[in-house]
Amino acid sequence: MADKIKMTTPLVEMDGDEMTRVIWKMIKDILILPYVDLKSEYYDLGLEYRNETDDQVTVDSAEATKKYGVAVKCATITPNAARMTEYDLKKMWKSPNGTIRAILDGTVFRTPIIVKGITPYIPTWTKPITIARHAYGDVYKNTEMQVKEGSRLELVCTDSEGNETRELIHCYDGTDGVVQGMHNTDRSIRSFARSCFNFALDSKQDLWFATKDTISKKYDHRFKDIFAELYEAEYKEAFEAAGIEYFYTLIDDAVARVIRSEGGYIWACKNYDGDVMSDMVATAYGSLAMMTSVLVSPDGVYEYEAAHGTVQRHYYKHLKGETTSTNSVATIFAWSGALRKRGELDSLPELCAFADRLEKATIDTIESGVMTGDLYLLSTLPEKKKVNTEGFLRAVAERL
Ligand code: NAP
Ligand code: MG
């Protein structure tokens, strides 16, 4: 075999849990290590080691990502009550993704992997739609109350000098009701906008953004204005040079246009819109197992992963010695995405070319009719064959 492809800077490798941890090792052994002289700084985010280190390992892995600029992450368990006993945990540790996102201040971009034979429910969507969700504030950090009849509700803001500004929200005459307070910050909206503009330039795709600024004349309008100001001041020239567009419209109009579109752009969404629309878009493209995810920080740090979880049900089968047919495609693409980004940052065209080949071999394998059970159920190819978890990776390796 020819010499392995060399790397200069390490990649931050975040290992994880359950079935995806099993797949992680297989991908490395079968698809990466035979071809690449892998330089990685390894962090074990498996729940046992997070518990052992009081979750310090998660923080350390995020700090290392800041330092090196590129990470690849395996799916991890977010503990709940059942996991407390299953893993005998000291504490109900927070979601690693939440911790990492808070440290990197990033935005998550989710993109479906499209293959022949799996037709989206919207057949005109021949190119991927990438959803970017602003993951801070709004209804996710709200304060709510139930309100009694006869109450008067006001919004009160006390500034740093102690001055109060008041706005009447509602007087509850003749009925009880509910109220909700929510917020966002210019800093967070700016970070979100920057991540979106950078990602659009990086992937050479148009960027769409939409809010309800006609109704929400201060709140949503602030989002619109911040995006517009940053675009004019810092990104317009680069967008024009790259031949891509920044497009703002009302959220209702955006939804209608998305349905009619052929895909191939990034759709930046406010927090709630992104929560809802990412599930709709993922389902429409066919399978959560074919959805990649990358966290991009406003200063250009990238963390790649699969959008799905640890596939617990398959793992329990695996533990019982039963055969599994778990889809490794999104995790393979997390690796190829991270290797390609490393190659771009370090000017290593061979590493970028390897990432391209790995993705092509994966897609070609499925399009030749070899696939895992989840895709087998969806595929309209006339001749198809269901293979097990490792069988799929071996088939990809044969094409590499
Ligand atoms: P999940 O792991 O995404 O799996 C849900 C179901 O979707 C699976 O049971 C399976 O359906 C199907 N599926 C998902 N990925 C698949 C794949 N690669 N190949 C084949 N089928 C796939 O979600 P979950 O079961 O709700 O969560 C399990 C654990 O993952 C939880 O502890 C959660 O905290 C964690 N999680 C982590 C992340 C992350 O790290 N980013 C994200 C989400 C969830 P069938 O069983 O019908 O085959
Ligand atoms: Mg959701």
Side-chain angles (χ1 to χ4, degrees):
M1 180 174 279
D3 277 351
K4 289 188 193 179
I5 297 163
K6 293 271 179 294
M7 292 177 66
T8 46
T9 320
L11 190 73
V12 176
E13 179 186 342
M14 305 169 174
D15 207 343
D17 289 299
E18 299 195 310
M19 200 60 208
T20 40
R21 187 180 182 98
V22 175
I23 288 175
W24 193 259
K25 182 165 186 319
M26 286 184 186
I27 291 176
K28 280 175 69 178
D29 289 345
I30 299 172
L31 296 177
I32 312 282
L33 297 177
Y35 310 96
V36 179
D37 196 1
L38 182 70
K39 271 193 167 194
S40 78
E41 208 169 283
Y42 178 87
Y43 292 86
D44 183 1
L45 301 199
L47 186 50
E48 274 171 30
Y49 195 63
R50 274 184 275 149
N51 189 52
E52 207 176 303
T53 61
D54 293 339
D55 209 23
Q56 184 60 38
V57 64
T58 306
V59 174
D60 292 346
S61 72
E63 294 297 344
T65 305
K66 266 187 164 170
K67 176 171 162 197
Y68 294 116
V70 185
V72 56
K73 179 180 172 292
C74 179
T76 47
I77 292 169
T78 298
N80 57 14
R83 304 295 197 171
M84 293 293 290
T85 35
E86 185 183 355
Y87 284 84
D88 191 18
L89 299 180
K90 298 185 217 166
K91 239 176 97 171
M92 205 184 283
W93 307 109
K94 283 194 223 151
S95 145
N97 287 51
T99 303
I100 294 165
R101 198 163 58 216
I103 293 173
L104 300 180
D105 182 24
T107 297
V108 174
F109 295 82
R110 279 180 159 209
T111 309
I113 299 154
I114 295 185
V115 291
K116 280 195 204 82
I118 315 278
T119 315
Y121 287 99
I122 314 281
T124 50
W125 287 2
T126 51
K127 295 178 196 163
I129 296 171
T130 296
I131 297 238
R133 172 178 170 189
H134 181 212
Y136 176 81
D138 299 355
V139 72
Y140 303 86
K141 276 225 187 306
N142 71 353
T143 309
E144 315 185 313
M145 288 180 203
Q146 288 194 343
V147 181
K148 282 278 166 236
E149 181 200 340
S151 303
R152 175 190 164 81
L153 265 169
E154 288 180 322
L155 201 56
V156 181
C157 172
T158 313
D159 72 15
S160 54
E161 260 104 60
N163 306 310
E164 281 188 0
T165 315
R166 285 173 179 266
E167 292 270 359
L168 177 69
I169 298 173
H170 191 68
C171 292
Y172 288 77
D173 295 332
T175 174
D176 295 351
V178 283
V179 66
Q180 177 180 77
M182 57 188 199
H183 81 283
N184 224 297
T185 67
D186 283 6
R187 187 196 294 136
S188 176
I189 300 166
R190 248 181 229 121
S191 289
F192 173 51
R194 262 185 227 288
S195 295
C196 291
F197 288 130
N198 288 338
F199 192 78
L201 284 171
D202 211 51
S203 61
K204 297 221 167 10
Q205 298 181 88
D206 290 347
L207 175 66
W208 295 17
F209 182 45
T211 73
K212 193 74 186 176
D213 66 278
T214 45
I215 298 296
S216 174
K217 292 188 171 67
K218 298 232 166 72
Y219 199 106
D220 277 21
H221 215 287
R222 190 76 194 128
F223 282 78
K224 177 184 180 181
D225 289 346
I226 287 176
F227 267 72
E229 283 160 20
L230 266 178
Y231 178 69
E232 285 299 323
E234 296 177 29
Y235 291 97
K236 193 166 184 225
E237 272 172 40
F239 266 56
E240 283 169 4
I244 57 171
E245 198 189 336
Y246 168 59
F247 172 61
Y248 179 87
T249 186
L250 272 180
I251 185 73
D252 340 32
D253 181 48
V255 170
R257 283 172 189 264
V258 164
I259 292 294
R260 291 196 303 265
S261 78
E262 57 173 26
Y265 50 87
I266 299 156
W267 182 11
C269 291
K270 286 184 62 205
N271 209 349
Y272 177 82
D273 298 339
D275 184 352
V276 177
M277 290 305 165
S278 63
D279 283 314
M280 189 195 72
V281 168
T283 306
Y285 276 106
S287 169
L288 188 58
M290 298 290 279
M291 188 64 79
T292 61
S293 174
V294 52
L295 175 73
V296 182
S297 83
D299 44 359
V301 167
Y302 291 73
E303 183 234 294
Y304 294 82
E305 64 174 320
H308 60 77
T310 60
V311 212
Q312 182 180 16
R313 204 179 63 81
H314 295 210
Y315 182 57
Y316 289 163
K317 274 179 78 179
H318 169 81
L319 286 182
K320 280 194 251 161
E322 293 171 30
T323 309
T324 57
S325 183
T326 313
N327 189 333
S328 50
V329 172
T331 309
I332 295 172
F333 273 63
W335 273 97
S336 58
L339 290 171
R340 181 184 296 105
K341 179 52 72 181
R342 195 67 279 166
E344 284 168 15
L345 293 175
D346 300 344
S347 307
L348 301 170
E350 278 192 53
L351 193 58
C352 298
F354 172 75
D356 294 344
R357 281 204 301 281
L358 177 55
E359 290 180 0
K360 184 167 185 319
T362 306
I363 287 174
D364 287 351
T365 300
I366 299 168
E367 294 186 343
S368 78
V370 176
M371 59 196 85
T372 46
D374 56 317
L375 297 185
Y376 184 80
L377 291 174
L378 296 171
S379 177
T380 55
L381 291 182
E383 282 187 45
K384 50 184 180 175
K385 185 173 130 205
K386 176 179 161 178
V387 289
N388 65 26
T389 308
E390 183 174 341
F392 180 78
L393 294 168
R394 297 266 170 223
V396 174
E398 249 167 59
R399 284 173 185 272
L400 251 185

